[in-house]
Amino acid sequence: MTEPLRLSRRMSELGLCSRREADEWIARGWVRVDGKVVSELGSKVLPTQRITVERQAAAEQSKRVTILINKPVGYVSGQAEDGYTPAIALIKPENRWADDPAPEQFHPTQLRSLVPCGRLDIDSVGLLVLSQDGRIAKHLIGETTSVDKEYLVRVQYTKPGKLPDSDLKKLNHGLWMDGKPLLPAKVRWQNEDQLSFTLREGKKRQIRRMCDMVGLKVVGLKRVRIGKVKLGNLPEGQWRYLGADEVF
């Protein structure tokens, strides 16, 4: 027998929306199971049952914005902590990139339910994504994400000589963290003191910890790409909307 699942969880699994959005839509009577409206939170469904959503839900989802910030040092990506300012505080009209081609007009309601899709350490800079669309958050930070992220990392070798090729290979594959092997990464020299890291996972302070394991000290870290979306010429401390033609 196949076990029934919570309707909101099943909707998230199908990529229709986030669980939070699903609960909202169910409460509004916008969700049908096998053609019948289901409006009770906590309802369960079988994986074989057909789930559809009313057009209002799709219309509301299409109005949700996704914003890209070039985060400076000193801002946290999520909730305010230890007196540090969250990156969302940068999203105001005067910080919008003058060359943003998106037609959207900024409105304070766009800050509602705008959540960071992944973290960027307080002492790191570069591309940070915040979205009102639960599907994008799930796509970028879900456990099964296939979206890679690229970082430029300025380093100093703390031992005599140069980093051995064997240690560069370890950075690509072979290191363990928190009791588990890390997924393969792509790590290569950009110039004599800068590495490019491309990762598919994002453990806390992962790159700094990886570098530490092979005797490298990180002196600067910048995220330049998430999937197909690049930081490009977006100035530090400024933001723009994700374009309608851009996909991660």
Side-chain angles (χ1 to χ4, degrees):
M1 279 287 291
T2 309
E3 289 292 315
L5 299 168
R6 274 183 78 107
L7 176 55
S8 55
R9 180 181 165 191
R10 181 64 179 146
M11 288 171 68
S12 171
E13 280 181 357
L14 292 169
L16 294 170
C17 57
S18 69
R19 288 196 201 186
R20 192 179 65 229
E21 284 173 320
D23 283 337
E24 203 179 292
W25 295 356
I26 292 163
R28 290 188 183 192
W30 288 353
V31 180
R32 291 175 184 264
V33 176
D34 293 337
K36 289 183 182 169
V37 172
V38 174
S39 55
E40 193 179 321
L41 293 176
S43 297
K44 297 198 169 183
V45 292
L46 292 166
T48 51
Q49 290 183 281
R50 184 165 173 264
I51 300 167
T52 53
V53 294
E54 302 295 328
R55 271 190 306 213
Q56 299 99 302
E60 187 166 286
Q61 209 167 36
S62 71
K63 287 188 288 191
R64 301 197 165 175
V65 299
T66 296
I67 286 174
L68 313 176
I69 298 181
N70 185 346
K71 186 189 89 64
V73 166
Y75 286 80
V76 290
S77 27
Q79 298 294 318
E81 55 184 71
D82 302 330
Y84 294 112
T85 310
I88 196 170
L90 292 165
I91 304 172
K92 44 193 175 185
E94 58 268 34
N95 289 345
R96 184 175 180 182
W97 187 30
D99 292 340
D100 184 359
E104 277 92 349
Q105 294 294 311
F106 175 74
H107 193 275
T109 55
Q110 293 167 354
L111 300 175
R112 265 190 237 143
S113 307
L114 191 69
V115 296
C117 305
R119 71 165 77 86
L120 195 57
D121 295 333
I122 191 164
D123 42 7
S124 301
V125 303
L127 184 57
L128 180 67
V129 179
L130 294 99
S131 184
Q132 291 180 313
D133 188 338
R135 296 169 303 174
I136 287 180
K138 186 170 187 286
H139 182 53
L140 296 186
I141 56 178
E143 283 183 19
T144 56
T145 184
S146 59
V147 179
D148 60 8
K149 299 168 184 76
E150 185 181 351
Y151 304 79
L152 295 180
V153 186
R154 201 164 292 285
V155 292
Q156 288 172 351
Y157 194 44
T158 57
K159 300 175 186 177
K162 283 169 55 177
L163 181 78
D165 285 347
S166 59
D167 281 349
L168 182 65
K169 280 182 182 163
K170 273 188 206 166
L171 288 171
N172 278 271
H173 195 208
L175 295 177
W176 284 60
M177 200 172 284
D178 304 330
K180 290 181 181 174
L182 292 173
L183 294 177
K186 284 183 191 162
V187 184
R188 61 184 190 279
W189 287 106
Q190 292 286 100
N191 53 51
E192 61 184 26
D193 68 346
Q194 186 167 268
L195 288 161
S196 161
F197 274 72
T198 302
L199 307 178
R200 281 222 169 137
E201 60 190 331
K203 293 181 184 293
K204 193 166 184 181
R205 300 183 78 78
Q206 179 172 335
I207 290 174
R208 293 172 193 277
R209 291 165 71 192
M210 288 171 75
C211 287
D212 197 43
M213 289 176 193
V214 295
L216 290 171
K217 180 188 175 191
V218 172
V219 292
L221 193 155
K222 181 180 191 177
R223 183 156 62 202
V224 294
R225 180 177 62 79
I226 297 177
K228 294 178 182 173
V229 175
K230 294 180 180 176
L231 180 64
N233 297 323
L234 181 62
E236 195 170 300
Q238 294 187 21
W239 62 273
R240 70 174 179 87
Y241 291 102
L242 181 74
D245 57 339
E246 290 183 290
V247 290
F248 291 100

